[in-house]
Amino acid sequence: MKFKQASPLLLTAILFVSTPLLSQTVSTSQWSTRVWSAASNGNWDAVNSLLKEVPKGEEDTLVAFREHLSDFISHRDEQIEDTIASREEALQEMSTHVAEGNIVKAMQSVVKAQTLSDNFDDIMLQEDVQKVLLRAQEEIEIQLEEGNILTAQTMLFYLRTFYEDTSRRDLHDVWSDKLEQVNLQVSLLRQYAPRHLHSLFVERAIVLGDDEPEEFNPQASDNWIERVDGIDKNMLVRAIDLATGEHMNDVSWTELISGGLEALRTLQAVPAISETFTNITNEEANAVWHAAVIEEISSSSEYVKHIPGKRVLIQILNRLLDVNQASVKLPEGVILREFGDGAMSKLDRYSGIIWPDEYRRFEQQTKGRFVGVGIVIKENNKGEITISNPIEGAPAYYGGVQPEDVLVSVNGKSANGWTLNDAVDRITGPKGTAVTLTLRREGIDKPFDLTLTRDTIRLHSVQGWWKEGLDEDGQPEWDWFVDGDNKIGYIKLTSFSEESYTDILAAINEMQKIAPPNGLILDLRYNPGGLLPSARKIANLFVSSGTIVSGETATGEELFRMRALPNRAYLSELPVVILINQGSASASEIVSGCVQAHDAGIIVGQRSWGKGSVQTVHQVSREANVKLTTQYYRLPSPDSGKTPGRLVHKRRGS
């Protein structure tokens, strides 16, 4: 879905003029109705024209509105001027980096300039930019040949990003495929050759002019063990068997087996993993293993023609595990995990096996709570684990953890070389137990320890306009009104968890204690989605009847239809504006699409992500699941069923 951008001030204006005023004249009432109607129809040119014709009058509300509108126009004009200046500065930086021979930095500037442009194609067609793009492509090949895959990965990311929203979606797909191939190699190095990967981080830091990461910590060499712990053959076979029967694309055994075998060939083709699996350096053993994998690749499709796919899979795994034991002696869990991830890569980006080491994190994401210290972490450009922010009211918040702190170790074990998953696994744990974080902070000479007690952490998916403080339990207290004078409410929903619906009702109740809201802004920007039942209940708040969403197979056969219940449409009479952007996906698109189709509110923002599919989770063992795309969802019909509603799932090339 694509919509023109608008500022929060304009949204407040739309809601404001839609609200009846006690002293409204007939002309003011008519004007405000026209504004709401034009915005509802997505006619933003008409909205802007009407905002130039605000009715005259000396009522306090009209005077305040004209002042806000004047400020908005002034700020918008200043922003346009600043954007133009910043774009020209980025293009000048590009030229400087090209002259210095630093194509990576030049690509950074190109993407920055494009982001600051109204029309991405205009930047793409500039002669100087075209030269940088061609140089970048040449440089990628050079870096790959020299083994500098991290530098190549960075440049591929910039190329893919550059073409994403241009008319050359074909080039976006080309570079996206290339990036995925390199990402796979980097992932293998991270798991099985962390020392070599660290050396690549150092080389990339030199190219980018960044500070080099800390020296490699040998403890990182053992991280792969936890990644494959608990994986067995039955788990893998069960997951692939379910994928062939449940995935909506009716994927074949041949495709999945081929994907698994290709993943094993890729693993064997990364010589750096010999730092962990020394038998790979044995040329004779490596040749035997390679020949076995190639033989299975060439013959598996023929086997499936005559033997049930599940039996073929079991036989192939048995043969490969036997050959492995007699040759390179890779740990069995490594073979099974790489085979499984390779097989699932043939499905879609949203399907995959939830392995034992990932199971706990998956539970945290869906339930909206976990036991830990309450920090949000990220990886910086040197591969270090850093703190994005401590969660308000959590042990880390009160314990003194600050944004941009670098995680040095957990309970004395160095975090150097860890993935984000590694850090989460070691920081979380049983409630009431202690964990010691060693942190490095800018301005402090030496790393220092903070010992924190793990507790239940609630992830708040509902936020207000302004955080006023924390209550006795460390929970945030919000100002829920973006416009207190006119009582325009604001709710930001960051995900659709089990508790999101009740949290929204609680937020509305908090508003009601102050004053009944006259309008509501629901902010779904950068909301990646979550649980379908949560989306259904939240959409039902604004829609009193009709379809909320339906699901269907790849062939169009309807699987389910969720309808609105009148007694749950608590906010259906409230004027609402929903904000979305390119980070709004899945459940966010269900809610905004439903509200739009039923003309129950106005949708403002940017084209959303385009995830119009539903995943179901199937248990394959006590601590492993498989997540499979089993259906597309269809938005409601905008004309009461005369025409079908939209499928918004983004397809390749669209």
Side-chain angles (χ1 to χ4, degrees):
M1 295 184 290
K2 190 173 184 180
F3 303 93
K4 189 173 181 179
Q5 298 183 59
S7 80
L9 274 174
L10 180 56
L11 301 176
T12 305
I14 293 169
L15 285 169
F16 167 77
V17 299
S18 74
T19 306
L21 304 175
L22 293 178
S23 57
Q24 254 183 355
T25 65
V26 174
S27 60
T28 303
S29 176
Q30 291 174 340
W31 176 82
S32 59
T33 300
R34 290 170 62 196
V35 172
W36 184 261
S37 177
S40 297
N41 293 326
N43 189 348
W44 294 100
D45 289 336
V47 171
N48 288 324
S49 295
L50 287 165
L51 291 178
K52 296 176 182 178
E53 304 171 0
V54 179
K56 297 179 180 180
E58 298 306 318
E59 297 94 335
D60 290 343
T61 48
L62 275 173
V63 170
F65 174 68
R66 285 196 293 265
E67 291 176 353
H68 289 318
L69 183 59
S70 176
D71 289 341
F72 161 67
I73 293 172
S74 175
H75 294 159
R76 182 186 59 185
D77 292 344
E78 290 175 5
Q79 184 182 39
I80 291 173
E81 292 178 4
D82 290 344
T83 298
I84 293 173
S86 297
R87 182 171 64 248
E88 293 306 313
E89 182 181 352
L91 289 172
Q92 182 57 50
E93 290 173 353
M94 175 198 74
S95 299
T96 301
H97 293 314
V98 169
E100 295 170 348
N102 193 329
I103 304 303
V104 179
K105 285 285 191 179
M107 276 302 302
Q108 282 182 327
S109 298
V110 166
V111 173
K112 179 180 178 182
Q114 184 194 50
T115 303
L116 296 167
S117 303
D118 290 333
N119 188 322
F120 288 176
D121 279 4
D122 289 346
I123 287 288
M124 180 179 66
L125 297 175
Q126 289 188 20
E127 184 177 352
D128 290 346
V129 171
Q130 280 290 316
K131 290 180 180 179
V132 173
L133 295 173
L134 290 173
R135 287 280 303 277
Q137 296 173 35
E138 295 169 356
E139 188 67 23
I140 287 170
E141 295 304 320
I142 294 172
Q143 295 298 328
L144 289 175
E145 288 178 8
E146 296 179 353
N148 299 324
I149 62 173
L150 279 184
T151 302
Q153 181 190 43
T154 301
M155 299 182 73
L156 283 167
F157 173 78
Y158 289 141
L159 272 177
R160 184 189 69 174
T161 301
F162 179 84
Y163 285 110
E164 184 166 9
D165 288 316
T166 69
S167 59
R168 296 302 307 271
R169 280 289 302 186
D170 57 326
L171 292 178
H172 167 269
D173 293 340
V174 168
W175 296 116
S176 182
D177 288 344
K178 190 80 171 178
L179 178 60
E180 287 303 313
Q181 295 172 13
V182 172
N183 285 345
L184 176 58
Q185 295 182 52
V186 172
S187 176
L188 293 174
L189 292 178
R190 185 183 296 280
Q191 301 304 329
Y192 309 123
R195 185 184 296 276
H196 180 70
L197 183 63
H198 181 270
S199 68
L200 295 179
F201 271 119
V202 172
E203 292 175 9
R204 187 175 69 173
I206 294 172
V207 171
L208 295 176
D210 296 331
D211 294 334
E212 295 183 17
E214 291 186 357
E215 293 184 4
F216 177 73
N217 177 17
Q219 292 179 355
S221 298
D222 295 332
N223 291 342
W224 66 272
I225 296 175
E226 291 185 28
R227 186 172 181 267
V228 303
D229 185 42
I231 297 176
D232 59 49
K233 186 174 63 177
N234 290 335
M235 180 189 301
L236 172 61
V237 172
R238 174 66 174 154
I240 295 179
D241 188 24
L242 281 167
T244 61
E246 299 293 335
H247 194 274
M248 66 176 302
N249 290 343
D250 195 25
V251 65
S252 69
W253 280 99
T254 299
E255 290 177 273
L256 294 182
I257 291 173
S258 173
L261 292 171
E262 289 293 342
L264 293 183
R265 177 159 66 174
T266 300
L267 174 66
Q268 191 260 348
V270 179
I273 67 171
S274 62
E275 77 173 59
T276 297
F277 309 123
T278 55
N279 285 337
I280 291 291
T281 59
N282 184 318
E283 293 184 5
E284 182 179 349
N286 200 27
V288 170
W289 171 245
H290 177 72
V293 173
I294 295 301
E295 169 60 25
E296 297 295 352
I297 289 174
S298 62
S299 60
S300 60
S301 60
E302 287 299 317
Y303 289 145
V304 175
K305 291 180 181 178
H306 309 288
I307 305 173
K310 184 176 181 179
R311 189 186 305 174
V312 171
L313 173 62
I314 294 172
Q315 291 174 351
I316 287 175
L317 291 176
N318 287 339
R319 287 194 295 268
L320 287 177
L321 292 175
D322 288 343
V323 172
N324 168 69
Q325 193 57 37
S327 57
V328 292
K329 294 182 171 60
L330 295 174
E332 183 173 304
V334 170
I335 293 176
L336 295 175
R337 173 137 190 181
E338 297 308 324
F339 189 102
D341 287 342
M344 293 296 154
S345 71
K346 295 295 184 180
L347 300 175
D348 62 85
R349 68 168 72 185
Y350 305 112
S351 298
I353 300 173
I354 303 168
W355 300 102
D357 70 309
E358 301 167 327
Y359 183 79
R360 182 154 49 106
R361 290 187 297 277
F362 178 76
E363 290 284 291
Q364 294 171 2
Q365 292 171 357
T366 56
K367 293 186 181 300
R369 58 176 67 231
F370 65 97
V371 174
V373 298
I375 54 175
V376 179
I377 58 176
K378 62 183 179 181
E379 183 179 301
N380 65 17
N381 57 12
K382 293 185 286 184
E384 299 170 323
I385 306 297
T386 60
I387 312 300
S388 293
N389 61 274
I391 297 173
E392 289 90 351
Y397 180 85
Y398 289 121
V401 177
Q402 295 183 12
E404 302 307 320
D405 284 349
V406 176
L407 184 66
V408 177
S409 66
V410 177
N411 288 337
K413 187 169 184 179
S414 174
N416 194 354
W418 283 1
T419 64
L420 295 178
N421 288 340
D422 295 329
V424 170
D425 285 342
R426 289 165 173 81
I427 295 171
T428 57
K431 182 176 181 177
T433 59
V435 59
T436 299
L437 308 183
T438 302
L439 303 172
R440 188 177 74 248
R441 183 176 297 166
E442 187 175 354
I444 298 180
D445 293 337
K446 296 181 179 180
F448 57 93
D449 292 341
L450 288 179
T451 299
L452 307 170
T453 301
R454 298 181 176 106
D455 200 354
T456 299
I457 308 299
R458 184 177 175 193
L459 301 176
H460 296 280
S461 63
V462 173
Q463 302 171 1
W465 176 247
W466 186 263
K467 186 168 58 189
E468 298 178 321
L470 300 176
D471 63 18
E472 296 177 348
D473 298 323
Q475 302 305 310
E477 295 178 322
W478 294 100
D479 177 357
W480 297 103
F481 289 103
V482 63
D483 183 343
D485 293 335
N486 293 293
K487 299 300 180 286
I488 306 300
Y490 173 92
I491 292 177
K492 181 174 180 61
L493 186 62
T494 60
S495 66
F496 289 79
S497 67
E498 289 182 352
E499 299 179 341
S500 297
Y501 173 72
T502 54
D503 285 348
I504 285 181
L505 291 181
I508 297 297
N509 186 52
E510 290 293 321
M511 295 181 203
Q512 295 280 6
K513 291 179 181 178
I514 299 172
N518 290 323
L520 177 67
I521 296 173
L522 178 62
D523 193 344
L524 299 181
R525 291 174 297 180
Y526 297 109
N527 183 324
L531 301 177
L532 180 60
S534 179
R536 175 189 185 176
K537 289 189 287 188
I538 291 172
N540 200 164
L541 288 172
F542 307 102
V543 176
S544 59
S545 63
T547 299
I548 290 176
V549 66
S550 60
E552 59 187 52
T553 66
T555 59
E557 178 186 355
E558 186 171 298
L559 296 173
F560 70 84
R561 180 173 294 271
M562 295 180 174
R563 299 185 182 277
L565 301 176
N567 61 338
R568 293 187 179 179
Y570 306 124
L571 307 178
S572 60
E573 300 300 320
L574 191 66
V576 61
V577 167
I578 297 181
L579 306 184
I580 64 170
N581 66 1
Q582 68 274 16
S584 306
S586 190
S588 291
E589 293 173 299
I590 290 175
V591 171
S592 54
C594 173
V595 168
Q596 184 189 53
H598 289 289
D599 199 23
I602 296 173
I603 315 301
V604 178
Q606 299 168 311
R607 188 202 318 266
S608 56
W609 176 264
K611 182 186 178 296
S613 59
V614 179
Q615 286 69 47
T616 55
V617 178
H618 309 261
Q619 192 165 18
V620 294
S621 76
R622 193 173 69 177
E623 291 189 336
N625 291 330
V626 61
K627 182 173 63 172
L628 299 171
T629 299
T630 54
Q631 54 207 255
Y632 290 129
Y633 64 74
R634 185 179 289 278
L635 296 177
S637 169
D639 51 16
S640 303
K642 295 178 182 177
T643 58
R646 285 184 296 166
L647 291 172
V648 297
H649 194 69
K650 180 166 58 180
R651 299 177 185 274
R652 186 178 180 87
S654 63

